Amino acid sequence: MRIISLLGSPHGLKGNTGRLLSIVLAGAEAEGAKVEVEILKGDTVLPCLGCDICHKKGYCAQKDRFEPLRESIAAADGVVLASPNYIFNVSAQLKAFMDRCCGVIHCMSFWGKYGASVVTSGGGDEEPIAEYMNHFLLTTGAVPVGAVSARMSEMPEGGFTDKVEEKARELGRRLVSAWRASEVPQPVQEQRQNFRERMQALITYRGPEWPYEYAYWQEQLKAE
Ligand SMILES: Cc1cc2nc3c(=O)[nH]c(=O)nc-3n(C[C@H](O)[C@H](O)[C@H](O)COP(=O)(O)O)c2cc1C
């Protein structure tokens, strides 16, 4: 299994989120996965310009790391998102990547990938952020298998509790085992199917403005 992970912290792998992400990835590696980490600094993936070129042509026209990353994820089996809590949400660095995935979401182009999310905070609100990240993964077509988080005010100096470490390792292992077994839990199956129908309806309606996405869904519908 090949996993691409995106780390939206300016502190990179030495920061809290990077260290928690590394434990998740070690769990996945112990099960035989190959992992890669892309650190999203402020200019790695710039904010979306709202130009609609992705909807019209199927790629983003901005020349930064977004397109190579999109292609790497499309060619991989798994994707792990990691972010610190920045004012009750993901960091702007990760949010820029998510926004740039507007065309990915319209076509659910990461269909069949397996995903997980990692969050750290100073003092709270990790859960809704992790849920948001996993919801994002689902709308790209991926199957989210779970999340791990750490509230740093409750962690021992410079580290994580044994419980959090074990949860992180287990998440990495589960990502690989779910992918191996092609597991898609019933609620995920239903939510993904509902979202797929919503995207099909949206793109059919907006067809004349968004020719790439229209042609994409026409092909999908023909194949069904
Ligand atoms: C701009 C900014 C905003 C933050 N907002 C919150 C917040 O709303 N709630 C919270 O609990 N922690 C907040 N924090 C603390 C970080 O989430 C926390 O220190 C996190 O573990 C940092 O991860 P890192 O070392 O990987 O960057 C914020 C930190 C920064 C720099």
Side-chain angles (χ1 to χ4, degrees), residues 9-11 15-18 84-88 120-124 152:
S9 163
H11 299 123
N16 298 331
T17 320
N85 171 355
Y86 272 9
I87 317 299
F88 318 113
T120 71
S121 76
M152 298 316 294

Side-chain angles (χ1 to χ4, degrees), residues 108 111 138 141-143 188-196:
M108 299 182 85
W111 194 272
L138 185 135
V143 177
V188 171
Q189 220 167 63
E190 280 167 22
Q191 283 174 51
R192 235 180 15 159
Q193 188 52 35
N194 288 343
F195 193 75
R196 192 179 151 87

Side-chain angles (χ1 to χ4, degrees), residues 14 31 39 76 89 95 105 108 119 160 188 194 199 220:
K14 291 190 176 145
E31 293 296 314
I39 299 165
N89 212 318
K95 184 61 166 58
I105 289 173
M108 299 182 85
V119 182
F160 302 104
V188 171
N194 288 343
M199 288 303 103
Q220 295 289 311

